[in-house]
Amino acid sequence: MARARTGVRALGAVLAAVLGASLAGCSSTGGKRAEDARKARAAAGKAAVDTPRWTFAMVTHSGDGDSFWDIVQKGADQAAVKDNINFLYSHSDEGQQQAQLVQAAIDKKVDGLIVTLAKPDAMKAVIAKARAADIPVITVNSGSEQSKAYGALTHIGQDESIAGEAVGDELDERGRKKALCVLHEQGNVGHEQRCAGAKKTFDGELQNLYVDGTNMPDVQASIEAKLQADPAIDTVVTLGAPFADAAVQAKKIAESEAEVDTFDLNEKVAAGLRAGTLGFAVDQQPYLQGYEAVDLLWLYKYNADVLGGGRPVLTGPQIITKTDAAELAEYTERGTR
């Protein structure tokens, strides 16, 4: 099945062209001075704007120690410095607890909210309370299908079904025949959509394996047992970067020849791609999700701007291979990819 793929080189070329055109439109003196001043303020940790110091809260469904959300938070933190924002971050992988954290932010009368909708039913009522309090809401990462209905300004992230379909296409290109899709969080609608999307476009057989993502030894043991029981499995797809290494270890112990692929990118995944222990990764650019969420809330507060035209602002998917990982090494090492 044919599909479009945006490579890192192509993306870089487009950005370079846009940047070049932007710089060409500036004067050779005033534009440079303004840009130098902006960079100096950013380097000093000072705001690049003089708008009021609004307070934005981000509440995600992250569990403890999830490196993906460290990258999201880093993007949000850096945008908050630039935009003179007091940024608050909290998280819980339990839907009701996440809703309680959102309620706490509402009680603090924050000026804007950024939330994830991995478990949308648990979040619906509290998002309605935020809107009733005239607090603008942006959703990120998960919940693109519910975002507009819940009254959010826009959604920032990847379409999980499309991302899953991209995985199915990639597996076909690699000649895979039987894949295991490892779901590490029960009830996460985005995870279900990823595996369903992969199953839709994959010409081979795909099975779901549910594991307890809070218990990494259990994750590894579950994958190992499945590989030992079914030697025909030639691919393991994990839905988060931290679980890719567990799959690699399970493969070794089971003496399986299965390829390990994963959603999400971090330094360890990039190293695995370069070493050949991982086949490919699906990057949804978490830094961009955090950064753009804060920036778009600031734009809304400052200028009533809304991006997306009623549709999600997509940050992925992008298939990352061994060659791409080498090009991104600088950014994964500093924790922004």
Side-chain angles (χ1 to χ4, degrees):
M1 179 181 294
R3 64 182 176 82
R5 285 181 57 181
T6 303
V8 175
R9 291 188 183 88
L11 181 60
V14 172
L15 292 176
V18 173
L19 181 58
S22 299
L23 292 177
C26 299
S27 70
S28 60
T29 55
K32 185 177 187 303
R33 285 198 297 268
E35 179 64 10
D36 288 345
R38 185 197 66 77
K39 289 181 178 179
R41 288 195 298 271
K46 297 180 180 179
V49 296
D50 59 1
T51 47
R53 188 162 175 79
W54 294 307
T55 296
F56 295 165
M58 175 183 278
V59 184
T60 75
H61 65 277
S62 168
D64 293 331
D66 191 329
S67 59
F68 176 91
W69 292 101
D70 292 340
I71 301 175
V72 174
Q73 189 176 352
K74 183 172 289 188
D77 284 337
Q78 292 186 1
V81 170
K82 175 181 70 70
D83 293 339
N84 192 32
I85 298 300
N86 177 35
F87 179 67
L88 309 176
Y89 180 80
S90 59
H91 65 91
S92 174
D93 57 3
E94 295 293 333
Q96 291 302 323
Q97 291 181 14
Q98 185 189 5
Q100 290 170 10
L101 291 171
V102 173
Q103 182 62 59
I106 295 170
D107 294 341
K108 292 178 182 177
K109 299 181 179 180
V110 298
D111 300 293
L113 265 170
I114 302 162
V115 300
T116 61
L117 299 178
K119 298 171 182 175
D121 290 345
M123 298 291 289
K124 185 176 182 178
V126 76
I127 298 303
K129 290 181 181 179
R131 298 303 300 122
D134 291 325
I135 299 174
V137 178
I138 285 179
T139 60
V140 299
N141 181 260
S142 56
S144 61
E145 295 183 357
Q146 294 83 11
S147 178
K148 187 175 181 179
Y150 284 14
L153 297 175
T154 193
H155 178 82
I156 303 170
Q158 71 180 5
D159 184 299
E160 302 291 19
S161 295
I162 291 175
E165 290 172 15
V167 168
D169 288 340
E170 184 69 23
L171 295 179
D172 287 337
E173 289 186 15
R174 291 166 178 259
R176 300 294 158 177
K177 301 302 181 184
K178 192 169 188 178
L180 195 64
C181 195
V182 183
L183 299 94
H184 61 267
E185 185 179 339
Q186 294 271 357
N188 187 317
V189 294
H191 290 181
E192 296 286 350
Q193 289 168 348
R194 290 178 182 181
C195 292
K199 188 171 185 177
K200 178 181 177 180
T201 57
F202 182 39
D203 292 336
E205 179 185 346
L206 185 141
Q207 299 177 0
N208 287 356
L209 175 65
Y210 293 89
V211 298
D212 179 4
T214 64
N215 185 340
M216 202 61 75
D218 175 73
V219 173
Q220 180 176 323
S222 297
I223 298 172
E224 178 188 335
K226 194 69 175 179
L227 291 175
Q228 288 176 333
D230 190 353
I233 294 173
D234 59 17
T235 309
V236 177
V237 179
T238 62
L239 302 187
F243 306 96
D245 187 58
V248 170
Q249 298 306 316
K251 167 188 170 177
K252 290 179 181 177
I253 296 173
E255 298 183 343
S256 168
E257 296 298 322
E259 175 179 281
V260 177
D261 306 309
T262 190
F263 280 78
D264 301 334
L265 181 72
N266 62 14
E267 184 178 2
K268 196 164 188 177
V269 168
L273 291 171
R274 295 196 300 271
T277 56
L278 297 176
F280 67 88
V282 184
D283 186 20
Q284 60 175 309
Q285 302 184 100
Y287 177 91
L288 192 58
Q289 292 178 12
Y291 191 98
E292 285 302 306
V294 170
D295 225 21
L296 293 189
L297 269 183
W298 177 84
L299 283 167
Y300 180 78
K301 294 287 294 183
Y302 173 66
N303 205 44
D305 289 319
V306 179
L307 289 183
R311 296 180 179 273
V313 177
L314 298 182
T315 63
Q318 182 180 17
I319 300 294
I320 304 296
T321 63
K322 182 175 184 177
T323 300
D324 302 323
E327 294 178 353
L328 294 173
E330 173 186 354
Y331 312 116
T332 57
E333 288 170 4
R334 76 181 183 192
T336 56
R337 286 298 291 271

